[in-house]
Amino acid sequence: MANLQAAVAEAVSGTMEERGRGFASDREAWAELKECIERTKQMHTDIEKVHKEMWSAVKDRNEDAFAALSQEFERSSRILAEEWAQTSALAKIAVISESND
């Protein structure tokens, strides 16, 4: 949990530095968070497909395919977790932006 908090804090500072500002309005924050949700939904759907393919490999007793799919599952789920950490950082920036108004 501490690692996740550190990752979010790092994402907040990095994003603020990159953007040079917080959000101009609640509407801007909402819109950007909506984009994040849509992106993570698609990523989640893709991971579910890999998981389904993993079951096919289990049923076929195809250990090589299962190993390759497991690696893809790990990679995809790690990227999804990073995406959610970035989304959390954007929500934090929205709070910071509002408190600076």
Side-chain angles (χ1 to χ4, degrees), residues 17-43:
E17 186 176 310
E18 181 181 305
R19 291 172 61 100
R21 63 176 180 83
F23 289 106
S25 67
D26 289 348
R27 179 176 293 221
E28 181 187 23
W30 181 89
E32 195 156 337
L33 290 169
K34 177 69 173 164
E35 288 177 18
C36 291
I37 290 169
E38 295 305 318
R39 198 167 39 253
T40 55
K41 276 183 188 177
Q42 184 57 55
M43 294 170 78

Side-chain angles (χ1 to χ4, degrees), residues 2-95:
N3 288 342
L4 178 58
Q5 290 171 336
V8 170
E10 185 177 314
V12 167
S13 64
T15 301
M16 287 292 284
E17 186 176 310
E18 181 181 305
R19 291 172 61 100
R21 63 176 180 83
F23 289 106
S25 67
D26 289 348
R27 179 176 293 221
E28 181 187 23
W30 181 89
E32 195 156 337
L33 290 169
K34 177 69 173 164
E35 288 177 18
C36 291
I37 290 169
E38 295 305 318
R39 198 167 39 253
T40 55
K41 276 183 188 177
Q42 184 57 55
M43 294 170 78
H44 182 92
T45 298
D46 294 345
I47 290 170
E48 285 181 321
K49 288 176 188 172
V50 170
H51 188 248
K52 190 176 235 181
E53 291 173 17
M54 288 171 72
W55 179 243
S56 293
V58 168
K59 290 190 306 184
D60 294 343
R61 299 176 192 258
N62 186 339
E63 292 178 12
D64 291 338
F66 186 82
L69 290 163
S70 294
Q71 288 177 333
E72 176 57 23
F73 189 96
E74 183 279 327
R75 184 192 71 77
S76 296
S77 58
R78 178 179 32 81
I79 292 168
L80 179 59
E82 291 167 356
E83 184 70 27
W84 273 118
Q86 180 63 36
T87 301
S88 176
L90 291 173
K92 180 75 171 173
I93 290 168
V95 171

